[in-house]
Amino acid sequence: MREGPDIARIASLVGDPARANMLNALMGGTALTASELALEAGVSLPTASSHLSKLMEGGLLTLASQGRHRYYGLASAQVAGMIEAIIGVAEAVGPKRVRPGPRDAAMRVARVCYDHLAGEQAVAMLDRLFDRKLLLREDNQIRLSSAGVSHFSALGIETHVKARRPVCRACLDWSVRRSHLAGTLGAAILDKIIAERWARREKDSRAVVFSPTGRQAFERVFLS
Amino acid sequence: MREGPDIARIASLVGDPARANMLNALMGGTALTASELALEAGVSLPTASSHLSKLMEGGLLTLASQGRHRYYGLASAQVAGMIEAIIGVAEAVGPKRVRPGPRDAAMRVARVCYDHLAGEQAVAMLDRLFDRKLLLREDNQIRLSSAGVSHFSALGIETHVKARRPVCRACLDWSVRRSHLAGTLGAAILDKIIAERWARREKDSRAVVFSPTGRQAFERVFLS
DNA sequence: GGAATGCTTCGATGAGGATCGAACCATGCG
DNA sequence: CGCATGGTTCGATCCTCATCGAAGCATTCC
């Protein structure tokens, strides 16, 4: 019976609609203030504050104080991955959504997942990186090949960073139901896509929209 | 507030301790009956039934009716993956390693699981029965060999009983995370252990405590 | 056909927790 | 300093939902 990690505690934190909305809003990767999150969740400020302290105590959020502003963000990419997994199940079992609007379609193609790219484009990219032997599957992990190191280095992405966070990690995609690339490399690639202005983020959405020329550039570099 | 898939609904399903325990018990892939899940979750049968219907309605479980038995199992590998992700976060976030008390330790060694033996002893026993070719793995099922039939018959355990319930079944052990033996044979072995007074059940607990001589006898018969 | 077993439904009870207004801190501005 | 703004804490209210006993179905055994 009572054994192992307290999974019910974590799940019940996500299980409240107000908190779920907050976490969903934070999946965009940018930290938000309590007021913004209250608005996002549709609750009053005191209520939001109460929820935020619970999420903090549960270890799902981090807090950065800047002056009189307090920015809340997801605690880790692992937490983001868990939320993606829950979203995936919710999508799968809730086929009641008859009309996948244009915004949903855009989300399906490419979107931000915490700090890296997700969606069809991201899944295709990971496939190609495997095909080109720039990344290698090892057990259930992903490893950079030496060819991959020099390849990304040529793109201005340094992969030798010493960090506790893994360089490569697989993250399950809820729309495609296959893995895309997370980890510091996944984050760096998203950074490059935005920095090169290949794509821009939709306002108030996790969707990522490529420009025509940007898409060509992205395909040339990562999908060729 | 944006409208996405109902993630709170899914998460809240997992967020109840009783339901979380049930799902955890089902993580091994073997389907279990409502009674077994009630025991596993530590709730009454009506309560368990209520939870199970909610999990069914939420699309997290599948149901296979066999006669008057109804076996519940996880709906998909995607659901299992989601639970794994939640477990991962819970482990990362809950570094409060609770010292397992003496009763928990006893539970870990040997306990009753519905009507058969579970725990380290039970897992070791199943391993040895495979080693000695008394039981055979077939796909995901377990089958008695002819040597096994005569072996158990010599012990006074008749394995030719005509019953709808399978003679051998694998049951996932939460403490060892590996399978032990359920089914009528598993039940008969537990009966023998109790009848021979090799061990007795703790009061108000699922723990099974062997006597010194009883342990020797058990090891000679099942672990040699 | 009973009788037994496995499971679900019903009804009543109770506890946890989500919510908001108001009051209370803290920081920044003039 | 006073005042405004961003956030948290407190208290009271309300409501959902988990829980179990008892009764009701369904299936199988004898």
Side-chain angles (χ1 to χ4, degrees):
Chain A
M1 268 183 299
R2 189 146 291 274
E3 175 58 24
D6 199 346
I7 132 175
R9 175 177 152 77
I10 301 299
S12 69
L13 281 175
V14 190
D16 177 81
R19 286 194 293 263
N21 282 331
M22 291 176 175
L23 292 170
N24 196 33
L26 291 172
M27 282 296 286
T30 48
L32 300 172
T33 66
S35 322
E36 292 170 318
L37 288 168
L39 200 65
E40 199 70 32
V43 294
S44 72
L45 226 159
T47 302
S49 184
S50 160
H51 286 309
L52 288 170
S53 60
K54 279 169 189 165
L55 289 170
M56 283 295 296
E57 195 177 359
L60 299 190
L61 297 186
T62 52
L63 174 57
S65 289
Q66 283 181 18
R68 61 178 166 183
H69 294 269
R70 314 189 72 186
Y71 290 96
Y72 290 91
L74 294 186
S76 67
Q78 187 184 25
V79 172
M82 172 188 76
I83 295 173
E84 276 275 328
I86 299 174
I87 290 175
V89 171
E91 279 277 321
V93 305
K96 318 183 173 183
R97 304 186 54 78
V98 214
R99 273 180 49 78
R103 215 168 85 180
D104 290 324
M107 288 272 282
R108 226 168 271 276
V109 172
R111 68 182 178 278
V112 169
C113 174
Y114 186 48
D115 63 356
H116 55 271
L117 196 68
E120 293 165 5
Q121 295 276 19
V123 171
M125 179 181 76
L126 182 56
D127 285 347
R128 285 299 292 137
L129 293 178
F130 280 131
D131 288 347
R132 295 162 72 186
K133 307 263 196 292
L134 300 176
L135 297 183
L136 307 173
R137 295 180 198 273
E138 271 193 354
D139 299 327
N140 274 336
Q141 302 205 323
I142 301 176
R143 197 171 60 81
L144 251 175
S145 67
S146 51
V149 172
S150 48
H151 176 83
F152 288 113
S153 181
L155 293 174
I157 295 175
E158 206 45 66
T159 51
H160 279 312
V161 281
K162 275 275 183 224
R164 285 176 41 92
R165 194 176 162 207
V167 174
C168 298
R169 216 171 55 75
C171 182
L172 192 75
D173 204 293
W174 58 252
S175 52
V176 191
R177 302 188 65 173
R178 292 181 49 213
S179 288
H180 58 249
L181 183 65
T184 56
L185 179 57
I189 290 176
L190 176 61
D191 285 347
K192 181 176 180 66
I193 289 169
I194 301 297
E196 299 275 0
R197 295 187 180 275
W198 292 347
R200 61 176 172 74
R201 299 196 44 181
E202 271 302 301
K203 196 74 176 175
D204 293 330
S205 164
R206 290 167 56 196
V208 171
V209 182
F210 281 80
S211 70
T213 60
R215 171 179 296 268
Q216 287 178 10
F218 173 78
E219 289 180 351
R220 177 166 34 79
V221 175
F222 291 110
L223 297 183
S224 65
Chain B
M1 104 182 88
R2 88 193 91 214
E3 278 306 322
D6 202 345
I7 134 176
R9 173 176 152 78
I10 301 299
S12 69
L13 280 176
V14 189
D16 178 80
R19 286 194 292 262
N21 283 331
M22 291 176 173
L23 292 169
N24 198 33
L26 291 172
M27 278 298 287
T30 34
L32 299 172
T33 66
S35 322
E36 291 170 320
L37 288 168
L39 261 175
E40 206 64 38
V43 294
S44 73
L45 226 161
T47 302
S49 185
S50 161
H51 285 309
L52 288 171
S53 60
K54 280 170 188 163
L55 289 170
M56 283 293 298
E57 195 178 358
L60 299 189
L61 296 187
T62 52
L63 174 57
S65 289
Q66 284 181 16
R68 63 178 163 184
H69 294 268
R70 314 189 70 186
Y71 290 95
Y72 290 91
L74 295 184
S76 66
Q78 189 184 25
V79 171
M82 173 188 74
I83 296 173
E84 276 283 329
I86 299 175
I87 289 176
V89 170
E91 276 179 349
V93 137
K96 38 180 181 180
R97 289 277 176 199
V98 190
R99 273 294 87 195
R103 210 171 87 180
D104 292 324
M107 289 271 282
R108 214 171 280 274
V109 172
R111 67 181 178 278
V112 169
C113 175
Y114 188 47
D115 61 358
H116 55 272
L117 196 68
E120 293 164 6
Q121 295 275 19
V123 172
M125 180 182 76
L126 181 56
D127 284 346
R128 285 298 293 138
L129 293 177
F130 281 131
D131 288 346
R132 293 163 72 185
K133 306 262 195 290
L134 301 177
L135 297 182
L136 307 173
R137 296 180 198 272
E138 272 191 355
D139 298 326
N140 272 337
Q141 301 204 324
I142 300 176
R143 197 171 60 81
L144 253 174
S145 69
S146 51
V149 172
S150 48
H151 176 83
F152 288 113
S153 181
L155 293 174
I157 295 175
E158 205 47 64
T159 50
H160 279 310
V161 281
K162 267 213 210 129
R164 306 270 317 173
R165 191 172 165 211
V167 174
C168 298
R169 215 169 56 75
C171 180
L172 191 78
D173 204 292
W174 57 251
S175 52
V176 191
R177 291 254 168 206
R178 292 181 48 213
S179 289
H180 57 248
L181 183 65
T184 55
L185 178 57
I189 290 177
L190 177 60
D191 285 347
K192 182 177 179 66
I193 289 169
I194 301 297
E196 298 275 1
R197 294 187 182 274
W198 290 347
R200 60 176 173 77
R201 296 197 49 175
E202 272 301 300
K203 197 75 174 175
D204 292 329
S205 163
R206 291 165 55 199
V208 171
V209 181
F210 282 80
S211 71
T213 61
R215 170 179 296 268
Q216 286 177 10
F218 174 77
E219 289 180 352
R220 177 166 34 79
V221 175
F222 291 110
L223 297 182
S224 65

